[in-house]
Amino acid sequence: MDLGYHTICWGGVVGDATGVTSVKDLYYRTPGSMETAISDISAAGYTGIEMFDGNVADYADQPDVLQGLLAAASLELVSVYTGGNFVYGDLLEDELHRVSRSADLARQFGARNLVVGGGARRASGTTEADYAALAAALDQVTDIAEQRGLTACYHPHLTTIVESPDELDRLMPRTRIGFCPDTAHLVAGGGDPAELIRRYPDRIRHVHLKDVRLDPFAFLPLGQGVVDFSDVRAALGEVGYDGWLIVELDSYEGDPAEAAQISKAYLEQLLAS
């Protein structure tokens, strides 16, 4: 399995302000330096990266710049992350327009995977119809990705309507999109990531690794929290997964390069054991 790292740690995540009034223009974006992130990820020994759609979009009119940075660092853009509400009918057309734009960018820069989060929690409460709407939207996301030679996968996420194992089970039978387990989000949602990998063996398309401390809550470099990565590794082997492992750490109190190095050393030990 190849090892990659998400650029989110170099500044966290924000959304474009224009998206408040124009959903079609709402991208995820890390406000830090992508040049620094790419250099640090390469220096830590990873061979791939994942980026938010907004950061890739910044290079749409100057593709040679990003391609040059990746080539100089000997890194592959493995995946692009996007998302949406996906439960509001009136917004869906514009949200899928943005997903299509993100998929176009992913293809332009050679990525293999389109990773999608989402499923809004309504102020009035989640309904069963929301899961049906989310599933139908994710099938359309899958079509968009496949039309561009990409693999689409869904990333369960805190604050969405797919946090817990029960919520994941309400969604997965209704959609054909792939599954991107995120070890820390699954644990924080009350699940066991290894068990959920074994529950959906034919749906695993991409994997996000991060650790978590539950009290006080914090996402952490690998090996510093409560995630049982030995069992996660065993489960991935049992289901025959041989794709990318992407470390995705939302933030770090110190130098993000240090966090990347900590997780890389832990992964090397884990995979060698």
Side-chain angles (χ1 to χ4, degrees):
M1 289 180 280
D2 295 312
L3 307 180
Y5 207 91
H6 199 299
T7 59
I8 184 176
C9 204
W10 283 260
V13 58
V14 298
D16 291 296
T18 53
V20 175
T21 51
S22 181
V23 169
K24 69 178 179 61
D25 299 316
L26 180 58
Y27 290 102
Y28 287 116
R29 180 173 276 110
T30 296
S33 166
M34 291 300 96
E35 182 175 359
T36 300
I38 288 170
S39 176
D40 288 347
I41 290 168
S42 175
Y46 297 92
T47 56
I49 65 167
E50 181 171 306
M51 295 173 67
F52 284 126
D53 52 357
N55 291 110
V56 182
D58 289 340
Y59 296 96
D61 296 329
Q62 47 180 355
D64 291 347
V65 175
L66 179 56
Q67 290 165 345
L69 290 172
L70 294 171
S74 298
L75 285 178
E76 174 182 343
L77 178 62
V78 177
S79 39
V80 173
Y81 190 105
T82 188
N85 293 279
F86 296 138
V87 300
Y88 305 119
D90 287 348
L91 292 182
L92 186 59
E93 181 180 356
D94 280 357
E95 289 189 318
L96 293 177
H97 168 87
R98 177 167 41 79
V99 170
S100 296
R101 175 65 171 145
S102 300
D104 286 338
L105 290 165
R107 178 179 60 179
Q108 178 182 1
F109 289 99
R112 309 180 190 185
N113 300 306
L114 185 68
V115 187
V116 179
R121 287 197 182 275
R122 299 175 186 268
S124 59
T126 302
T127 68
E128 197 64 26
D130 289 338
Y131 289 97
L134 174 58
L138 293 177
D139 280 346
Q140 293 186 70
V141 169
T142 303
D143 291 337
I144 289 169
E146 289 177 349
Q147 289 162 6
R148 293 159 176 81
L150 305 173
T151 297
C153 49
Y154 178 73
H155 179 302
H157 204 289
L158 297 177
T159 74
T160 72
I161 64 173
V162 185
E163 294 181 326
S164 70
D166 288 346
E167 291 170 338
L168 183 64
D169 289 342
R170 293 170 77 176
L171 172 69
M172 291 296 282
R174 300 179 176 191
T175 178
R176 61 188 180 88
I177 198 169
F179 176 28
C180 173
D182 180 297
T183 53
H185 279 278
L186 293 175
V187 167
D192 176 343
E195 190 278 326
L196 291 168
I197 289 168
R198 293 181 176 107
R199 189 181 303 182
Y200 294 104
D202 299 327
R203 304 288 291 276
I204 310 299
R205 300 289 183 270
H206 194 56
V207 175
H208 277 188
L209 301 178
K210 61 172 166 274
D211 217 337
V212 63
R213 181 182 65 219
L214 298 178
D215 188 17
F217 185 87
F219 291 128
L220 300 169
L222 305 187
Q224 297 191 351
V226 301
V227 176
D228 184 349
F229 286 105
S230 293
D231 199 22
V232 169
R233 176 182 181 273
L236 291 171
E238 291 166 21
V239 305
Y241 181 77
D242 62 356
W244 284 85
L245 301 177
I246 301 292
V247 181
E248 184 209 23
L249 181 61
D250 297 50
S251 62
Y252 186 66
E253 291 184 356
D255 184 352
E258 178 185 42
Q261 294 162 8
I262 291 170
S263 290
K264 181 61 163 54
Y266 180 86
L267 274 175
E268 288 177 348
Q269 183 178 24
L270 177 72
L271 296 175
S273 64

